[in-house]
Amino acid sequence: MKKLSLRTRVVTGAVVVAALGAGTFGAMSASASSPTAAPATAVKADTKNRNLQQTTHLTVAAATKAAQATLNAAKKENQRVSVAVVDRNGNTIVTLRGDGAGPQSPESAAKKAYTAVSWNAPTSELVKRLEQAPNLKDIPGTLFLGGGAPVQVKGAPVAGIGVAGAPSGDLDEKFARAGVAALAR
């Protein structure tokens, strides 16, 4: 490889510095001459506004309280379960996998919770509806097995609690109801 002369290196370096300086100056002057964007208009949270709707949501603390109460109820009966609490939209707020719970149980618990809040009914009742509408089980993210319970405020669903891992859906649902009851205390 041919070595460059001192003069060539100095000239090349000067050109690079000049180009960088010109680019920086141009960017600064371009941003200085840009008009300032107008502030966005704020939407007022007026409860009389027909375009807005208020909803009730569980806090993370409340969801954790319900989940822990659920695990405690299962532990009293020597059951190893997982519990999931989802919000009104089916998004998971908290999932707890109890000691010794099976590997499938966290996902099953979340699906049961989603199913309960989606239909605002315990999943054991929804299992009975499958006789009239068997295609319900094909809805993505749902699981029609006992073990899910909705959390309601004035009859409207605000969350769902799902439990999986006990030997029967009846037990899973019993523990889910214990989580719902903990929210009332």
Side-chain angles (χ1 to χ4, degrees):
M1 181 160 210
K2 186 177 177 185
K3 211 173 189 186
L4 297 176
S5 70
L6 178 60
R7 180 176 177 202
T8 305
R9 287 186 289 185
V10 170
V11 170
T12 304
V15 169
V16 169
V17 169
L20 287 174
T24 302
F25 177 74
M28 288 175 61
S29 63
S31 67
S33 64
S34 297
T36 307
T41 304
V43 176
K44 293 183 181 179
D46 179 9
T47 57
K48 295 175 187 168
N49 185 334
R50 294 181 189 173
N51 296 320
L52 300 175
Q53 181 178 9
Q54 292 184 337
T55 59
T56 304
H57 296 275
L58 285 184
T59 63
V60 172
T64 302
K65 174 184 175 180
Q68 191 59 58
T70 300
L71 283 183
N72 292 344
K75 188 175 182 179
K76 285 180 185 175
E77 296 192 28
N78 295 317
Q79 297 300 316
R80 298 175 178 150
V81 301
S82 290
V83 58
V85 180
V86 301
D87 67 12
R88 173 62 186 109
N89 300 317
N91 299 311
T92 302
I93 301 171
V94 66
T95 302
L96 297 177
R97 182 173 180 254
D99 294 334
Q104 79 291 351
S105 63
E107 183 177 350
S108 297
K111 287 182 176 184
K112 289 178 182 183
Y114 175 82
T115 305
V117 75
S118 295
W119 278 275
N120 193 24
T123 53
S124 61
E125 288 181 24
L126 297 172
V127 170
K128 297 171 190 169
R129 293 184 195 176
L130 286 178
E131 294 173 14
Q132 289 80 32
N135 59 342
L136 282 178
K137 69 181 177 345
D138 298 331
I139 296 173
T142 59
L143 186 57
F144 289 87
L145 296 173
V151 176
Q152 300 173 336
V153 173
K154 297 180 183 176
V158 296
I161 299 177
V163 178
S168 74
D170 292 339
L171 276 175
D172 284 339
E173 199 162 304
K174 175 182 176 181
F175 304 141
R177 286 193 308 270
V180 173
L183 293 171
R185 291 183 226 134

